[in-house]
Amino acid sequence: QKFEEAFSYYSIAMDILNYNNYKEEKIKVYNNMGICMLRLLRYDEAIYYFNSAIVFCNSAKVFDVYLRALHNLALAYASIHKLDDALSTVHRAYEKINKQTNKALYVKFKIIEASCYDYKEDLQRCIEVYRELLTEKEEIDDVLLGTIYNNIAIVMLRNKNYKESEAFFERAYMLRYEKAPETISHVIIESAALYYEMVYMDKFYS
């Protein structure tokens, strides 16, 4: 409900910007309209608004929103399994992003890239992307690092590499317990699948 309401306000703002021919100001509004559509699971509309923001970034030569719009666009494509489009969008971002000054966003792009390879069943390539990220783990925010550990654990489980899966689930649990306890239920649920496959019934029911 709140995203529908927010979208209506952004639509009014866009009408005002169009009437006054304000171009640069449209960039953030288009991106925010896209976020509303993304949260409402209206992916095709989200893609339209994110692409509109990117077009205006290029035409106005204003790039403060550009990378965020690319990130959101990649998420929208990945959400409807347009994986090649998502990967293409991620690689467009790599051409512009400075990973030293924008580390968190760079890591988020890498997570999307790895997830696309996961969806494509290219588990080896997926693991390579995550392994590359782990070489820089000291520079990665703990919450994002917990997501990376959890995702690697899931991929290792699908790859029947149970010991590594268990190790990464444990790392994810410890980080999320300390830094993001509201997300710890995801680790518990997903690691239960591991213990079920390993027939560790005592851990499964604990």
Side-chain angles (χ1 to χ4, degrees):
Q1 179 68 36
K2 65 179 180 179
F3 292 110
E4 290 178 350
E5 186 176 351
F7 183 82
S8 69
Y9 287 128
Y10 286 128
S11 297
I12 293 168
M14 185 60 71
D15 288 340
I16 295 169
L17 294 175
N18 284 329
Y19 181 79
N20 291 284
N21 199 28
Y22 293 146
K23 293 183 179 178
E24 289 185 23
E25 291 79 0
K26 290 181 182 181
I27 296 170
K28 289 183 180 179
V29 175
Y30 271 132
N31 187 55
N32 289 338
M33 292 172 85
I35 291 170
C36 291
M37 292 294 101
L38 188 62
R39 297 299 294 268
L40 291 167
L41 310 183
R42 290 159 62 175
Y43 298 113
D44 288 337
E45 292 169 84
I47 288 166
Y48 167 78
Y49 290 115
F50 294 138
N51 272 320
S52 296
I54 291 163
V55 167
F56 272 88
C57 283
N58 287 321
S59 64
K61 306 298 182 188
V62 176
F63 295 104
D64 57 326
V65 180
Y66 180 76
L67 288 170
R68 282 184 282 142
L70 281 176
H71 171 263
N72 296 332
L73 179 62
L75 271 180
Y77 279 136
S79 297
I80 54 176
H81 287 253
K82 289 190 173 181
L83 303 178
D84 290 332
D85 289 329
L87 286 169
S88 174
T89 303
V90 166
H91 287 290
R92 285 167 67 189
Y94 291 156
E95 294 173 4
K96 289 281 188 182
I97 198 166
N98 182 328
K99 73 175 186 177
Q100 301 306 321
T101 60
N102 211 342
K103 190 71 175 187
L105 192 56
Y106 172 78
V107 171
K108 289 177 182 178
F109 277 117
K110 280 293 191 184
I111 291 172
I112 294 173
E113 181 185 4
S115 296
C116 287
Y117 290 127
D118 187 4
Y119 289 135
K120 281 172 166 279
E121 302 289 335
D122 189 346
L123 299 186
Q124 191 57 44
R125 194 118 178 237
C126 173
I127 291 169
E128 285 172 8
V129 175
Y130 283 129
R131 294 283 193 199
E132 179 187 339
L133 277 177
L134 289 182
T135 64
E136 308 170 26
K137 65 181 180 181
E138 290 78 12
E139 305 168 28
I140 297 175
D141 171 83
D142 284 337
V143 175
L144 283 175
L145 189 57
T147 298
I148 292 166
Y149 285 152
N150 194 66
N151 290 359
I152 294 174
I154 293 168
V155 174
M156 291 297 181
L157 173 58
R158 291 178 56 204
N159 222 18
K160 306 298 183 185
N161 192 334
Y162 298 128
K163 287 297 181 185
E164 279 210 78
S165 178
E166 182 176 34
F168 279 108
F169 272 132
E170 287 175 356
R171 292 181 201 175
Y173 181 90
M174 292 306 298
L175 266 182
R176 289 188 169 184
Y177 181 80
E178 294 174 6
K179 304 295 182 179
E182 70 279 1
T183 66
I184 205 166
S185 60
H186 298 290
V187 183
I188 295 170
I189 292 167
E190 286 151 359
S191 62
L194 165 69
Y195 295 127
Y196 181 80
E197 284 202 30
M198 294 173 72
V199 201
Y200 284 1
M201 299 310 287
D202 56 334
K203 287 190 178 183
F204 179 69
Y205 286 114
S206 65

